[in-house]
Structures are given as structure tokens and as C-alpha cells.
Amino acid sequence: MTQPKAPLLAENEKRDIAPALLEPIEYRKSGLSLNHIIGCPLDCAYCVRHLFHNYEMKQPHRITDDETAASMLVSHKYFQPNITPLQIFNRATDPFLPTVKPHLFRVAELLDQRGLTNHLLIITRSRVSIDDCNRLNAIKNLKITLLVTYSGIDDKRVEPIDSNIAIKTLTRAHEMAENYRVVLYWRPLVSGLNDSPSHIKRALQLATHAHATVFTGLFFREEIQSYYRKMGLPEPVNLPARRKILVRSLEDRILTEWHKTGRGPPLFRKTSCAVSFAHRLSDYNGHYGIRELCDICPVDQIRRCADAFRKPEAQAIADLALSLGASAIPTIDDRAIQTSGLNEEPRYFMQHTFGYQVHDIRHPHLPHRHGRAEIGWTDEPESRTSSSED
Ligand code: SF4
């Protein structure tokens, strides 16, 4: 039976869409991201589509066809075969919505037919069927990771979709996984909303149905705050932030509970770490340089990352950075490369080229904060502000 597909957006409808959303490829932290379908009916209040003023588009629409999208991806100036991690439909829709998944599989199959072995990250909170799992298993070359978003948020005004759908997807996909891997994407964690002891215990129990689990916080930008205010929703924090918010006390409580399980299900702070571990590969984002991130990582995985970790040559860094438009020669230390004048896309290109963290010198990543917003981390005790670079 032919599945219904997302309708093509008419030219006159495109006039109302933010230009950034009409650009289907964006280099994000976890990879080069393909988003040629926009629109979603799931109504998560914290959706990043608020940033593009696209939240009211409930029906998924196509910007272009799958063949064009796949070929745009592999001919993108920052695409490197077998190296660049890829993501699909992680910005403006859910890949397993009924009218979206035919496009997901078509693009995945087109890329796979090229023999590409790049990572492909697929993030969903929708229902994934047995047939869907079989189709994922049929992908032979790409390293597919299904990241199943689960928050446990009970407030239907914030997250209307039933969490049991994600639970069913997770357990089924994990049971059926042969050629793909399953990550429990435990997010967004919000203080006061889904951080009770029972929420944490429940998520850690679910983590036993995944190859790895990553926990992370909430993006709360001004546009999202405006929506919360308009709808009269309880605001998770007073001020919006540029980075994800996950307060230190909540991370501590999660890790304390996790230690009680005997460090049971593998738990990670970074998406790329969870994805890489699930495939038994070293972290492609070079987080190993940020040594304190690794204190919860399985011993075998630490060894894998240590073996692969190489500080790049200063000359190679300078040459690449300057060719990408850097305004100064980058500095490098044992943790990261610091660049000036490069926006996110060339920085991520450098990061995936070298397998080494690449930061903007104006936005330093502070020890132990793991690139998160400063909310809830500013009263650092001494033991947490000292670097652990050994
Ligand atoms: S060793 Fe460190 S960098 Fe590697 S996967 Fe574990 S936490 Fe990430």
C-alpha cells in the first residue's frame, strides 16, 4: 500500500516561511542536518519552531523532493563522505509522522545506495512500527541511530503527546535492532516538571531498553518564553538562555540515582558520545578532550576514545581555519581549538574533520558545565572549578 506523503509547499506559500527554514541543510552540532520537510502537529510547547515562527504549521509540507534533497546533502560544501555525521528531520518535524516517514526512508535508502557509511541520526517521539524497524534494519552501510525522545513530562499543556508512545517505540525498536542502534534521548529535563525521584527512576529503568542514554536540558529562548507567556504556561526559568539549561543540582541527582543502579545503563551527557558508544566507535565530536565529561563513561569506551584522540597539528588547524574565513590563527590546547570569526557551520566542519572540539573564543566552554547555560551553575564550589586535564 502506498503511504501518503507530505504535500509540496506551493511557491506562494513559501513567502510566509522564514528564509532559514527554506534552506534545507544546516550544519548543527551533531551533524549536517537535512530538513526538507517542515510542519508538525505534536504541539510541544518548547518546540524550536517558535524560533522560525513556524509553530502554527501543523501539517508537514515538503520544500523539495527527496532525490533533490539527498543530492543537495552529498554535494554540500561541508559534506565529507564516510566522515560527516548526518541528521534528518530534526528541526521542524518528526521523521516518523505518517506523511513524513516515506521521505525519511527514501532519503536514507538513497544515501545507503551510494555506499556511504556516515552516521545518520534520526530523532523521534512518534510511533515506530515493526515494518519501520525492518526498513531500518535493511539499511546496510549508513550507521543509523534512532534517538527516541522521552521526557516523562505529565503536563499536557507543555507536552500533549502521550509518553507511552515513546516508551513503546523505544522498547520495540531496541528489541528489533540489528543494523541500527537505539538511544534513549531523555529530554528536556526541566526542574520542577519532570525531575522528581520517581521521574528519574522511571527514565533510568527505561534506559535498560536502549543501547545508550543521553540526558539533556531545555532550550528556552526568547521566542519560546513569549509563547509560554501567551499561553499562561509555568516558565521553567526566569530568563531565556543561549544554551541548553540543565542545572547542576539536577545533574547531581540524576547521577546519584544512576550510581545506585551500579552505573547500570550507559549514560552520557553528550548526544555524540551516546551515539558513538552505541556503535562501539570513538566520539566523533572529540569530547574526550573535555576530560571531565568522561567520568560516567564505560571503561571500554574511554579506551576507545583515548586511542582515537589526536591533537591536530597547529599548521593544519591554521590552514583550514583561515581557508574557512577565520579572522585570526586559532589557538589549541589539550581540550579544544579556539577560533575567531567563524560561525557554527565552519566550526563544526573543523570539529568533525579533526575529531577535536572547536569553540568560538567569545563563548568559552567552562569546566564541568559541558557547554550548558550558566543558569544553576554559577556558584561553583572549588572542587568543580578545578580542571581535571590529566
Ligand atoms: S570517553 Fe568521553 S568522549 Fe568518549 S564517549 Fe565517553 S564521554 Fe564521550
Side-chain angles (χ1 to χ4, degrees):
M1 191 180 71
T2 312
Q3 285 185 301
K5 295 184 176 178
L8 189 64
L9 204 61
E11 285 305 314
N12 63 338
E13 292 172 310
K14 288 185 181 176
R15 284 200 292 269
D16 300 327
I17 307 294
L21 268 193
L22 293 176
E23 171 49 62
I25 300 177
E26 179 190 14
Y27 213 154
R28 295 159 73 100
K29 193 174 170 207
S30 279
L32 205 52
S33 170
L34 179 63
N35 296 284
H36 61 290
I37 298 190
I38 59 175
C40 181
L42 298 183
D43 282 338
C44 309
Y46 47 77
C47 180
V48 293
R49 285 188 306 133
H50 289 300
L51 277 52
F52 304 100
H53 307 291
N54 180 252
Y55 190 68
E56 296 311 320
M57 184 183 275
K58 303 301 178 192
Q59 187 188 2
H61 286 77
R62 233 172 346 123
I63 295 169
T64 188
D65 62 79
D66 301 325
E67 288 71 14
T68 304
S71 108
M72 284 173 77
L73 186 64
V74 297
S75 57
H76 190 275
K77 64 180 175 177
Y78 292 140
F79 174 79
Q80 302 184 77
N82 312 323
I83 294 175
T84 310
L86 307 173
Q87 304 176 69
I88 183 163
F89 302 145
N90 64 330
R91 183 175 67 179
T93 193
D94 186 295
F96 281 92
L97 291 171
T99 60
V100 180
K101 68 182 175 184
H103 305 283
L104 164 71
F105 288 123
R106 178 71 181 142
V107 170
E109 285 156 9
L110 285 167
L111 297 174
D112 198 54
Q113 283 160 15
R114 290 172 178 256
L116 294 166
T117 61
N118 303 60
H119 281 283
L120 179 64
L121 279 63
I122 308 170
I123 304 172
T124 187
R125 63 190 335 149
S126 294
R127 179 178 178 272
V128 172
S129 68
I130 291 172
D131 283 352
D132 297 334
C133 296
N134 286 332
R135 275 188 93 170
L136 291 177
N137 276 326
I139 303 283
K140 298 296 180 211
N141 298 302
L142 293 167
K143 292 184 274 291
I144 301 259
T145 306
L146 186 67
L147 296 109
V148 181
T149 299
Y150 165 86
S151 72
I153 290 174
D154 306 311
D155 188 334
K156 295 293 173 209
R157 297 171 302 164
V158 176
E159 202 177 271
I161 190 168
D162 185 347
S163 283
N164 287 315
I165 294 174
I167 293 171
K168 182 70 192 166
T169 287
L170 181 82
T171 51
R172 170 182 285 152
H174 184 244
E175 267 170 31
M176 293 194 63
E178 292 172 8
N179 289 334
Y180 64 87
R181 293 292 172 262
V182 179
V183 166
L184 171 58
Y185 211 12
W186 182 12
R187 63 152 195 176
L189 277 152
V190 184
S191 298
L193 206 56
N194 59 345
D195 66 335
S196 71
S198 62
H199 280 106
I200 293 172
K201 281 195 179 97
R202 176 75 177 126
L204 289 174
Q205 195 274 328
L206 283 175
T208 61
H209 298 280
H211 298 105
T213 293
V214 59
F215 64 99
T216 187
L218 174 79
F219 267 124
F220 197 62
R221 299 277 176 86
E222 281 167 17
E223 295 86 344
I224 299 173
Q225 183 187 45
S226 299
Y227 178 77
Y228 271 60
R229 291 194 168 165
K230 191 172 93 182
M231 302 306 288
L233 298 175
E235 291 182 41
V237 287
N238 296 330
L239 286 173
R242 177 179 165 271
R243 291 173 167 160
K244 276 185 189 164
I245 299 161
L246 182 73
V247 302
R248 185 182 66 204
S249 58
L250 176 49
E251 172 172 309
D252 286 348
R253 286 195 291 116
I254 288 169
L255 294 183
T256 300
E257 199 57 46
W258 176 68
H259 278 285
K260 284 188 204 162
T261 69
R263 294 173 61 116
L267 194 60
F268 298 86
R269 297 180 174 98
K270 296 291 177 184
T271 303
S272 65
C273 291
V275 168
S276 301
F277 169 75
H279 291 269
R280 299 299 187 266
L281 295 168
S282 58
D283 173 44
Y284 58 78
N285 266 331
H287 284 120
Y288 186 75
I290 315 298
R291 297 294 298 118
E292 67 273 16
L293 272 177
C294 310
D295 62 355
I296 57 173
C297 195
V299 172
D300 286 357
Q301 180 67 3
I302 294 176
R303 198 170 301 124
R304 210 170 275 128
C305 287
D307 289 348
F309 194 67
R310 300 274 177 286
K311 191 173 179 179
E313 295 287 334
Q315 191 61 51
I317 296 168
D319 289 348
L320 183 56
L322 294 174
S323 76
L324 292 167
S327 55
I329 292 177
T331 59
I332 177 168
D333 59 27
D334 290 340
R335 293 167 68 88
I337 298 163
Q338 305 284 344
T339 60
S340 305
L342 291 182
N343 67 25
E344 288 184 339
E345 295 210 339
R347 287 208 312 274
Y348 295 147
F349 175 71
M350 287 183 68
Q351 186 158 294
H352 296 140
T353 300
F354 292 125
Y356 211 84
Q357 283 276 289
V358 178
H359 300 160
D360 182 335
I361 203 153
R362 294 169 307 161
H363 301 293
H365 288 211
L366 301 180
H368 295 281
R369 200 178 296 168
H370 316 310
R372 298 172 185 142
E374 63 183 26
I375 296 166
W377 289 86
T378 43
D379 55 338
E380 300 268 350
E382 194 61 30
S383 63
R384 280 190 170 265
T385 50
S386 62
S387 176
S388 57
E389 306 260 1
D390 53 343

